[in-house]
């Protein structure tokens, strides 16, 4: 059975990772799938190896039945201390987080945890390539925002400024990624153009 | 209460990740802790950002009680498709697996999955730094074995050869890491000497 959202977008259960926030999980699903198939394209073609990290889980109780697989009976989601995606392109360390918003005017920074931003700073300090992929779901626009620019907006919030990045700021400081077919979200192309002197 | 193994080694529950193979988990615990504190040292000192990936879990059933955290009621361990540790040093992608053995004469290759070796090949193809840390627990010797050398032993097994790497081979082709204090297992020093032309 096909369940469809208003607007006709299909609800796809198979690839859905059960999320701590079910509403948010549904919203984010398609974007995550798009990134995963893009990563699969990069992998299959020997371009880059980028994986989504497993969701961190605190395991409390496990049953070890005889003759069958261990069953986790009690566990809880942990707050991620790093970003979701990392890997390698041309020897370089690549690290990013991908988030989307239903808002048409701004990207709310509550989508991030302080730990993740500290992680981004550490990555930049050690010479890694850090960025954020942001999707405006209503218009299906995807932007690549470099880590140092994202951190500037985060610091603005911490200094009492707005709790979001205005869409106009993302358009100005980020890089629009046109949605393609193979790969669907070609963020490596942006990396290639932004960091060509070190690649 | 202190539970002690024969030989007096203390069983430490706090930092133990509950493992699919409880016996193996206990054996591996101290080595994993040593690596984790070494990674913490690198992180704190701004040298490298290396994290252990969360154990991949297949979630089947989750309870979302009101006013409290989501509780995972049924889940299973998945076979890892990548290695356990990755991160960045001087901009370069670092990727490794850490395993120990009680054997004093050889390292059994059954500690690895085919998927992980494919992953190591992919990493090398994309210019990443891939290796294996091997600990002989009885003598507390740790070796750094480069990915391409490890893969040669794996291929030998697949071509009908021995299902382990002899300790003498690891001594010959690997690099011994003396156990230190800060950091405890200084594998970055080996990377620095082996890959200095690209760092």
């Amino acid at each position: 059975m096909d369940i469809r959202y208003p607007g006709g977008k299909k609800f796809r259960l198979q690839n859905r990772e059960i999320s701590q926030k079910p509403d948010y999980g549904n919203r984010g699903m398609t974007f995550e799938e798009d990134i995963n198939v893009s990563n699969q394209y990069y992998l299959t073609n020997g371009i880059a190896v980028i994986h989504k990290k497993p969701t961190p889980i605190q395991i409390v109780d496990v049953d070890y039945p005889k003759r069958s697989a261990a069953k986790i009976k009690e566990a809880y989601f942990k707050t991620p201390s790093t970003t979701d995606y990392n890997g390698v392109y041309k020897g370089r360390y690549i690290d990013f987080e991908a988030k989307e918003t239903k808002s048409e005017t701004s990207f709310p920074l509550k989508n991030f945890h302080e730990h993740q931003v500290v992680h981004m700073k550490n990555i930049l300090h050690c010479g890694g390539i850090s960025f954020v992929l942001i999707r405006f779901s209503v218009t299906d626009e995807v932007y690549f925002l470099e880590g140092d620019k994202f951190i500037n907006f985060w610091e603005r919030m911490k200094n009492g400024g707005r709790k979001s990045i205005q869409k106009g700021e993302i358009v100005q400081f980020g890089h629009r990624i046109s949605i393609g077919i193979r790969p669907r979200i070609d963020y490596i192309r942006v990396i290639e153009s932004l960091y060509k002197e070190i690649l």
Side-chain angles (χ1 to χ4, degrees), chain A residues 24-130:
Chain A
Y24 190 80
N26 291 355
R27 258 202 289 149
M29 179 181 59
T30 312
F31 191 37
E32 185 182 317
E33 282 179 7
D34 283 348
I35 293 169
N36 289 345
V37 296
S38 304
N39 290 343
Q40 189 57 51
Y41 172 88
Y42 293 138
L43 184 65
T44 307
N45 291 277
I47 295 164
V49 183
I50 316 277
H51 287 284
K52 183 172 192 292
K53 288 187 192 176
T55 306
I57 305 281
Q58 180 69 49
I59 297 169
V60 175
D61 189 20
V62 183
D63 194 19
Y64 296 97
K66 281 180 186 162
R67 280 178 238 280
S68 62
K71 178 181 170 182
I72 299 164
K73 289 166 63 186
E74 186 181 356
Y76 299 91
F77 295 97
K78 289 200 287 191
T79 304
S81 56
T82 67
T83 43
D84 268 358
Y85 298 87
N86 73 1
V88 57
Y89 173 62
K90 292 189 178 174
R92 290 282 158 183
Y93 179 76
I94 307 297
D95 188 292
F96 66 98
E97 186 65 46
K99 294 286 185 195
E100 65 181 328
T101 180
K102 278 179 175 166
S103 165
E104 296 187 61
T105 55
S106 69
F107 174 77
L109 288 164
K110 67 171 159 47
N111 282 318
F112 281 78
H113 305 284
E114 174 73 19
H115 272 144
Q116 294 179 308
V117 182
V118 170
H119 174 72
M120 292 171 70
K121 289 180 188 175
N122 291 336
I123 294 304
L124 291 172
H125 175 78
C126 289
I129 294 172
S130 164

Side-chain angles (χ1 to χ4, degrees), chain A residues 3 10-18 26 29 33:
Chain A
I3 301 167
K10 208 189 270 181
F11 178 86
R12 283 173 280 179
L13 190 65
Q14 295 104 310
N15 295 314
R16 186 187 162 214
E17 187 174 341
I18 295 164
N26 291 355
M29 179 181 59
E33 282 179 7

Side-chain angles (χ1 to χ4, degrees), chain A residues 137-154:
Chain A
S137 56
V138 173
T139 51
D140 200 13
E141 289 170 76
V142 175
Y143 291 88
F144 179 116
L145 187 61
E146 291 158 86
D148 56 341
K149 289 171 183 163
F150 176 82
I151 290 165
N152 285 343
F153 292 117
W154 185 265

